[in-house]
Amino acid sequence: MDSQQGGAGELSSSPAHPPSRYESQKRRDWNTFLQYLKNHKPPLTLSRCSGAHVIEFLKYLDQFGKTKVHVTACPYFGHANPPDPCSCPLKQAWGSLDALIGRLRAAYEENGGRRESNPFGTRAVRIYLREVRGGQAKARGIPYEKKKRKRPTTTAVSAASGTQPPGGAAGDDSSGGTTANVGTVTAAATTNS
């Protein structure tokens, strides 16, 4: 019994694991944002911060960006790999901003903020990120495609066997898939039989 207690004590005195890369980055991002609020003219408190201030912060970060975003007057506007350098500005890439907002949104709630009042999750911030993504896609000639969700295999199996999927008749769109997808699965199953 004593050896078990001693073992538990040894476990608690062992050094804690260092924070993950994500946790370290989240802490740095959070401290950077708090510093931004402190240096804001006039200084802002976290409780008075809104989605508009978050967007202002994202625009401020553009000066440290490394992604070339062509202006509409640039001859390389819409070219993914321009042959020559140009004087277009460097900005933060959309993916970096999106990941940053995700980390700051989590950090806000971990530091006592309420989910309902999280300025990083406001509609204005989501719209801004969508506009940045669209603008950069056009300017850089790189389409951002939404990842296609894989359909659960249970629906495909039930459609192939001719039984009704849960929630509706075969070919019904209420299960989340399209009628064309169900028809394709059924045709493939018939061909393989």
Side-chain angles (χ1 to χ4, degrees):
M1 191 109 147
D2 290 335
S3 62
Q4 288 178 348
Q5 288 176 347
E10 289 171 16
L11 289 176
S12 63
S13 66
S14 65
H17 293 286
S20 68
R21 184 175 168 203
Y22 170 79
E23 291 298 327
S24 298
Q25 186 65 51
K26 184 168 56 171
R27 189 180 317 117
R28 280 194 301 273
D29 293 339
W30 182 247
N31 290 335
T32 301
F33 183 72
L34 293 179
Q35 189 64 44
Y36 173 79
L37 292 181
K38 184 179 175 184
N39 295 338
H40 192 272
K41 303 286 186 226
L44 279 169
T45 61
L46 190 58
S47 60
R48 300 196 65 215
C49 180
S50 69
H53 296 114
V54 172
I55 293 171
E56 195 177 281
F57 173 66
L58 296 177
K59 289 179 180 178
Y60 158 79
L61 291 177
D62 272 339
Q63 66 184 312
F64 308 109
K66 297 176 185 170
T67 301
K68 179 77 72 170
V69 180
H70 303 289
V71 296
T72 52
C74 177
Y76 304 128
F77 181 84
H79 291 273
N81 299 309
D84 296 313
C86 64
S87 61
C88 292
L90 294 174
K91 295 188 174 190
Q92 292 286 342
W94 165 78
S96 299
L97 294 178
D98 189 48
L100 170 70
I101 288 299
R103 289 190 299 268
L104 289 173
R105 191 173 180 176
Y108 177 83
E109 292 175 17
E110 288 172 10
N111 286 285
R114 291 188 0 252
R115 176 174 280 172
E116 309 81 49
S117 61
N118 192 330
F120 303 100
T122 63
R123 186 170 189 267
V125 172
R126 288 194 308 270
I127 290 170
Y128 176 77
L129 287 174
R130 195 176 312 134
E131 288 172 353
V132 168
R133 181 183 66 190
Q136 287 189 6
K138 285 180 188 169
R140 299 178 64 219
I142 302 170
Y144 288 109
E145 295 178 4
K146 204 172 189 178
K147 290 184 179 177
K148 293 181 180 179
R149 298 174 92 184
K150 290 188 177 182
R151 293 191 39 175
T153 55
T154 55
T155 305
V157 170
S158 62
S161 65
T163 60
Q164 284 190 349
D172 183 14
D173 196 30
S174 63
S175 64
T178 62
T179 306
N181 288 346
V182 173
T184 305
V185 171
T186 306
T190 309
T191 307
N192 293 337
S193 303

